[in-house]
Amino acid sequence: MDDLIDDEGAATPGNAPEFSVSEISGAVKRTVEGAFSHVRVRGEIGRLSLPRSGHIYLDLKDDRSVLAGVIWKGVATRMAHRPEEGMEVIATGRITTFPGQSKYQLVIDDIRPAGVGALMAMLEKRKAALAAEGLFDDARKKPLPFLPEVIGVVTSPSGAVIRDILHRLRDRFPRKVLIWPVAVQGEKCAPEVANAIRGFNALTPGGAVPSPDLLIVARGGGSLEDLWGFNEEAVVRAAAESDIPLISAVGHETDTTLIDYASDYRAPTPTGAAEKAVPVRMDMLNWVRQQDGILTRAVTGGLQARRQRLTDLGRALPRSDTLLDAARQRLDLLALRLDPALKGRTQEARAGLDRLSARLDPSLDRAVASKRLALGQRAAGLSAGRLSSLIRQGARDLAGLSARLDPARLAARTAQMDDRFRAATQRLSQVANATLHQRLERLRALDRMRQTLGYTETLRRGYAVVRAGQGVVTTKADAAGHGALEVEFADGRLGVTPTGAVARPAPKARPKKPDPDTGGQGTLL
C-alpha cells in the first residue's frame, strides 16, 4: 500500500509522487500531441463562431460525439473554402489540449468539403440566401448598350479566353478593350475578381483611363472546384452592385455559377459574350444603305406625284383668249341692234309730231313748219351725235370689261395656283434638304468613327509600330535578331538599327492589316 492508516483512521502520505495541476495538464498535453500530431477528421460543422479577432471556432460532430476545433487567423485567410454551419467537411490538423478548460481540441490547418455533394449543398444554401436578399431579381438587371465605346474584360491575360474575345470583337465590330488581369481559380480568384469589378466601376469617365461602357467576366470551363471562386459571396455582391452592365461568361454552356444569376446577361461561352457585346458592322452598314434607298425612293416618288398633280390642274385652266369670246359676241349683237333702234325711234317721233301738227290752227303753219324744220334738224343732229356717243360708250365699256376680266379672274386664278405650287415646292425642298443634311451628318460621323478605329489614330497618341521586313516586331529578342528595323510614327517611318544608329529609310511598303493578336489597339498590361 502507498498510504498508511494511523490509529485514528486518517491517511498518511506514502511514497507516491505529488503533481501540480499545471504539471498534470502539461503531461496530458504532451501525451495527446505526441499521439495525434497529424490527423484527418471527417464530420459535420455544428457550432460556428467568428469573433473579431479573425480566428474561427467550430465543432465537428457526428451522430454520437462532438470535437471542438479552432482555425487560427493566419490559416483562415488562406482557406479556399470558408466553413459554413451544417457543411460536411474533412479537417486536417493536430489534437491538442486547452488547460484553461480541461478539454482537448483540434487545431485545423486545412479544411475542405467532403466531396462534390457537400459543395453542391453549400452552393444551394448560399444561392437561396442571396436570392432572398433580392440580388438575383430581374428588376435589378440593366440593359446592355447597343454599341459600347469601351469594353472592360476581367479574366486571365495568358489564357485562350482573352484571345477568343479579342478575335470575335475584331471580326464583328472593333472596340477599345481594357483588360484587368485576375486569377481565375484558387484562393486569389474571388478577391481579385471582386476588386476588378469594383475597380472598373471606380474609373472616372473622361479620365486618363476611360470608364468602360460594358464589363465581361470570363473564364474557360473546369470542374466545380475550379469554378468555385465565382460562387463566392464577395464576387456575387460585386456583380450585383456594379453600375456598369455586366456579362458573365464563366465556363462552358452547361456550367452555372452564382455570378451568372447576379449579372445582367449570362453568355454560354466567352465567344458568345463578345457576340452579345457588339453588333455586326456589315449588317449595320447594309441597314443604313437600305434605309437610304427607301428615303430616296420616297422623296423622288413624292416629287413626281406632286409634279403630275400640278400638270393635271394646269390642264383644267381655260385659255386667256377664250375668256373674252363671249363678251365680244355680246358687244357685236348690241352694236347691230343699236342703229335700227335709233332710226325706228326717230320715225315714231316724227309721225307723232305730224299728227299733232295736223290738229293745230293753220295760222300757226309757218311757225310749226319752222319749228318742225328746227326740230327735224335737231333730231337729225341728236340722232347722229347720240349714235356716236353710244358707240363710244360701248367701246369704253368693252375696254373696261376686258381690262377688268383679264387681271380679275385669270390673273387671280393664275396667282393662286402659283402660290400653291411655290408653297408645295418649298415644303418638298425643306423636307429633302433636312433629310439629305441628316444623312450627310450620319455619313460624316461614320467616317470619323472609321478614322478613329484605325491604327493611325493610335500612332498620333504617342505609340509606334516596329517592323522588320514585312512583319511586326513585338519583343526585344526579336528586334535584336534583325539587322535593320523600321519604326512607323504618326508622321512617317524611320529606319534604325538595334544599336540605335539611324539606318537608311526603307522603301514605302503597302499598308498591312492590323496584327490579329492585338486587334490594332494598345493594352494596359
Side-chain angles (χ1 to χ4, degrees):
M1 296 178 60
D2 293 337
D3 295 337
L4 299 177
I5 306 299
D6 58 8
D7 295 339
E8 298 179 353
T12 58
N15 57 356
E18 295 181 352
F19 295 96
S20 65
V21 175
S22 298
E23 291 173 345
I24 288 294
S25 298
V28 172
K29 183 180 181 67
R30 289 190 295 272
T31 301
V32 171
E33 290 182 351
F36 303 98
S37 59
H38 182 79
V39 295
R40 297 181 68 202
V41 181
R42 184 189 185 104
E44 178 183 342
I45 298 177
R47 177 187 58 84
L48 183 65
S49 177
L50 303 173
R52 299 180 61 182
S53 62
H55 308 312
I56 300 177
Y57 299 95
L58 52 86
D59 287 341
L60 295 176
K61 64 180 182 178
D62 55 16
D63 55 349
R64 289 180 297 178
S65 303
V66 177
L67 174 62
V70 59
I71 304 175
W72 303 124
K73 178 180 180 181
V75 178
T77 57
R78 299 193 303 270
M79 288 190 306
H81 302 281
R82 302 288 294 182
E84 297 182 6
E85 190 170 345
M87 182 171 62
E88 186 178 5
V89 297
I90 297 177
T92 303
R94 57 187 174 87
I95 301 293
T96 185
T97 63
F98 182 52
Q101 295 183 357
S102 297
K103 70 175 185 179
Y104 64 93
Q105 62 185 6
L106 175 64
V107 179
I108 300 174
D109 297 329
D110 183 42
I111 187 168
R112 297 179 181 275
V116 178
L119 284 178
M120 293 302 297
M122 182 172 63
L123 180 63
E124 291 299 327
K125 180 180 179 181
R126 183 176 298 171
K127 177 182 176 182
L130 295 176
E133 297 183 22
L135 299 183
F136 302 156
D137 294 344
D138 293 337
R140 297 174 58 95
K141 299 185 183 300
K142 297 171 286 297
L144 303 181
F146 177 71
L147 184 61
E149 290 290 337
V150 181
I151 299 176
V153 180
V154 180
T155 188
S156 173
S158 59
V161 171
I162 187 61
R163 292 195 297 270
D164 294 341
I165 293 176
L166 293 177
H167 177 73
R168 199 58 177 164
L169 290 176
R170 184 169 57 249
D171 289 344
R172 292 174 65 87
F173 205 122
R175 299 280 83 187
K176 296 180 181 178
V177 177
L178 299 179
I179 304 173
W180 195 301
V182 296
V184 293
Q185 71 180 58
E187 300 176 358
K188 298 181 179 179
C189 175
E192 289 186 1
V193 172
N195 291 335
I197 296 175
R198 293 190 174 96
F200 272 131
N201 280 269
L203 293 177
T204 303
V209 179
S211 178
D213 302 315
L214 180 66
L215 295 183
I216 298 177
V217 179
R219 187 205 187 280
S223 63
L224 180 61
E225 291 81 0
D226 295 337
L227 304 179
W228 190 257
F230 298 93
N231 292 320
E232 293 293 343
E233 183 176 349
V235 175
V236 176
R237 293 188 180 278
E241 296 169 359
S242 175
D243 294 330
I244 304 174
L246 187 143
I247 299 177
S248 64
V250 179
H252 297 303
E253 187 171 0
T254 57
D255 298 326
T256 302
T257 56
L258 294 185
I259 192 177
D260 296 334
Y261 299 98
S263 62
D264 300 302
Y265 180 81
R266 177 190 178 268
T269 60
T271 303
E275 293 176 352
K276 184 65 177 178
V278 295
V280 181
R281 178 175 55 183
M282 294 306 300
D283 292 346
M284 293 182 62
L285 292 176
N286 293 332
W287 181 84
V288 170
R289 295 189 186 99
Q290 292 176 0
Q291 297 302 313
D292 182 69
I294 293 173
L295 180 61
T296 302
R297 289 192 297 270
V299 173
T300 304
L303 291 175
Q304 291 178 351
R306 285 162 175 79
R307 185 180 295 109
Q308 183 63 37
R309 177 62 176 168
L310 183 60
T311 303
D312 296 340
L313 292 175
R315 292 194 187 100
L317 292 177
R319 295 191 301 272
S320 60
D321 54 348
T322 59
L323 296 176
L324 301 177
D325 290 343
R328 291 194 182 98
Q329 187 175 3
R330 288 196 300 271
L331 180 60
D332 293 338
L333 294 175
L334 291 175
L336 293 175
R337 294 170 57 188
L338 181 60
D339 189 29
L342 291 176
K343 292 180 178 180
R345 182 58 180 166
T346 302
Q347 292 176 359
E348 290 178 359
R350 185 179 292 113
L353 182 61
D354 291 339
R355 287 191 300 268
L356 291 175
S357 63
R359 296 171 57 185
L360 294 176
D361 190 16
S363 60
L364 299 178
D365 290 340
R366 290 190 299 271
V368 172
S370 61
K371 190 66 174 178
R372 182 181 297 168
L373 179 60
L375 290 175
Q377 294 176 353
R378 186 177 180 183
L382 289 175
S383 176
R386 183 69 178 272
L387 179 59
S388 177
S389 175
L390 290 175
I391 293 174
R392 287 195 299 272
Q393 183 65 33
R396 286 195 299 270
D397 293 341
L398 178 60
L401 290 174
S402 300
R404 289 167 54 190
L405 179 62
D406 189 13
R409 297 186 62 184
L410 181 61
R413 187 61 181 268
T414 304
Q416 182 181 5
M417 298 305 297
D418 289 342
D419 293 339
R420 291 178 60 185
F421 176 73
R422 283 194 294 270
T425 304
Q426 185 177 5
R427 288 195 300 269
L428 290 176
S429 178
Q430 291 175 354
V431 172
N433 290 336
T435 304
L436 291 178
H437 179 71
Q438 182 180 4
R439 292 299 178 183
L440 182 59
E441 291 298 328
R442 290 282 301 275
L443 290 176
R444 290 174 179 170
L446 290 175
D447 185 66
R448 289 194 298 270
M449 183 182 298
R450 177 188 62 79
Q451 295 178 359
T452 303
L453 295 177
Y455 81 101
T456 56
E457 293 297 326
T458 305
L459 297 180
R460 292 191 179 95
R461 293 196 293 270
Y463 293 88
V465 179
V466 180
R467 291 186 173 87
Q470 298 298 325
V472 176
V473 178
T474 58
T475 63
K476 178 179 179 181
D478 194 6
H482 294 82
L485 303 175
E486 185 183 54
V487 182
E488 181 179 356
F489 299 95
D491 57 348
R493 298 187 180 185
L494 179 66
V496 298
T497 61
T499 58
V502 178
R504 296 180 62 185
K508 186 174 182 181
R510 181 176 299 174
K512 188 178 180 181
K513 295 183 179 178
D515 190 357
D517 292 337
T518 62
Q521 64 176 14
T523 179
L524 295 179
L525 302 181

